[in-house]
Amino acid sequence: MSNRKRKHGIFAVNSDVVLLSSSKGEEREGTHISVALETVFKQMRIAGNRPRTIESYEYIFKQFVEVCGIVVVEEIDLDKLYHYLDVLQVTPATKLIRLKSIKAVLSKFYNNGWLKDRFWSNIQIKIDKEVKKGARESDIEKLLQLIDQTTFIGFRDAAAIKLMYKTGIRIRTLGELRERHIDFENLCLNLDGSTLKNHKFLKLPIDTELAEMLKLLIKLNNGIRAHFGTDNRHVFITQNGTTMNNSKSSNCAISKQLSKYSKRYGLENINAHAIRRAYAKSLLEKGASIALISKALGHSDLAVTTQYLDLDSEEVARDLRDYL
């Protein structure tokens, strides 16, 4: 048994080295896996991890330990991890979830000093991601016809849907949009970094019809704010005059309204992200290049843009024929 001193505090644990005998008579020196797991899960609870998350980690990691016959932490290596992944009879997606859980625990082992390097960092599992569909233009047009635009909420929602479909802006950006971001004279949005995910400036054109809707919405907003005594210059506000983005969640008033409309009118795939994808597909069908579409969406990677476009094999073959 080592004479190393234990540090006090749950986040500074140095377990004594244990000497264990295997069934073959070999001695194994290191931190017993049960002791390590007990410490790590205690750290996770103190850090605020959800009980269900910890239970999931515990189930998966103990399965890994059992499959590989691991007794002490120091026995864990790349070969054992690959062996575990190889014998799993599950889908690649499930295998990826298991790997992420094991990586999370191994990272804690590393932070506690029980493992010398992060050998698991470069292990990857490739899975085919499910491509989310864009909204259909016909559904968007039908929704705009069904919404009662004689009410403030209805008119606001219609303006939001048109703006998202005509510019492709994210729902978060919609909630951050202020009057100063709209250039009515030159018919464009001037979006500064504070409104965008990548924090870069973006200029997007709007048409006359949309500009007139936004002007009327701003006029209605002034009446709402005056009535409730609120002070903001946001373009899209609640019926009480307050801003919509009150948290990091994108589940703002407009998102909730879109969900209601989708159920009420039986329209599939009507949500902010689907409308954004519909904008990308519309640009492509009108002849815009993927590079231009990527710029309009504010993407930093063309690969993300190609996923948005959701091209099937027939479309790809048809379009490529023009270049033969």
Side-chain angles (χ1 to χ4, degrees), residues 96-248:
L96 180 61
I97 293 172
R98 302 276 175 94
L99 177 59
K100 286 182 177 179
S101 298
I102 292 173
K103 282 184 174 183
V105 177
L106 291 179
S107 293
K108 294 291 185 182
F109 286 178
Y110 175 81
N111 293 339
N112 283 317
W114 301 322
L115 294 174
K116 294 181 180 179
D117 59 75
R118 303 172 66 90
F119 57 82
W120 58 89
S121 299
N122 295 324
I123 300 178
Q124 302 292 335
I125 294 177
K126 186 177 180 180
I127 61 172
D128 294 328
K129 293 183 178 179
E130 181 183 354
V131 177
K132 296 179 180 179
K133 300 289 184 180
R136 293 184 299 185
E137 183 178 7
S138 58
D139 283 345
I140 294 174
E141 291 176 350
K142 182 178 180 181
L143 175 59
L144 288 171
Q145 292 173 357
L146 291 170
I147 292 176
D148 181 5
Q149 297 185 35
T150 62
T151 66
F152 170 73
I153 294 296
F155 186 79
R156 179 204 66 186
D157 293 349
I161 292 166
K162 279 214 170 193
L163 184 62
M164 287 190 289
Y165 183 57
K166 292 286 186 178
T167 65
I169 61 173
R170 294 180 174 89
I171 191 69
R172 185 77 190 174
T173 301
L174 187 83
E176 293 295 332
L177 192 69
R178 290 167 172 79
E179 293 173 15
R180 62 181 171 82
H181 293 133
I182 307 176
D183 183 348
F184 287 109
E185 184 177 351
N186 296 300
L187 293 178
C188 63
L189 301 182
N190 294 316
L191 304 174
D192 54 47
S194 65
T195 65
L196 299 173
K197 188 176 180 180
N198 63 4
H199 304 296
K200 294 180 180 179
F201 177 81
L202 184 61
K203 189 170 186 173
L204 296 169
I206 58 176
D207 58 28
T208 304
E209 181 188 6
L210 181 55
E212 291 304 316
M213 285 190 77
L214 293 174
K215 284 180 183 178
L216 180 53
L217 179 62
I218 290 172
K219 186 176 180 180
L220 294 173
N221 288 344
N222 291 335
I224 294 286
R225 285 190 287 255
H227 178 76
F228 288 99
T230 54
D231 183 23
N232 61 70
R233 303 321 306 172
H234 287 70
V235 179
F236 293 93
I237 59 176
T238 69
Q239 60 185 343
N240 297 320
T242 59
T243 60
M244 293 192 298
N245 289 357
N246 296 319
S247 68
K248 292 182 178 180

Side-chain angles (χ1 to χ4, degrees), residues 251-304:
N251 191 25
C252 68
I254 301 294
S255 289
K256 294 175 181 177
Q257 286 292 104
L258 288 173
S259 180
K260 288 180 182 178
Y261 292 141
S262 178
K263 294 175 183 177
R264 182 184 302 167
Y265 302 126
L267 299 173
E268 294 183 5
N269 211 27
I270 289 293
N271 57 70
H273 201 65
I275 293 173
R276 179 170 159 84
R277 287 177 179 270
Y279 164 75
K281 195 68 177 290
S282 175
L283 287 180
L284 184 71
E285 291 171 349
K286 292 174 182 175
S289 68
I290 292 180
L292 179 60
I293 297 170
S294 183
K295 194 71 175 178
L297 292 171
H299 288 162
S300 57
D301 189 344
L302 286 177
V304 178

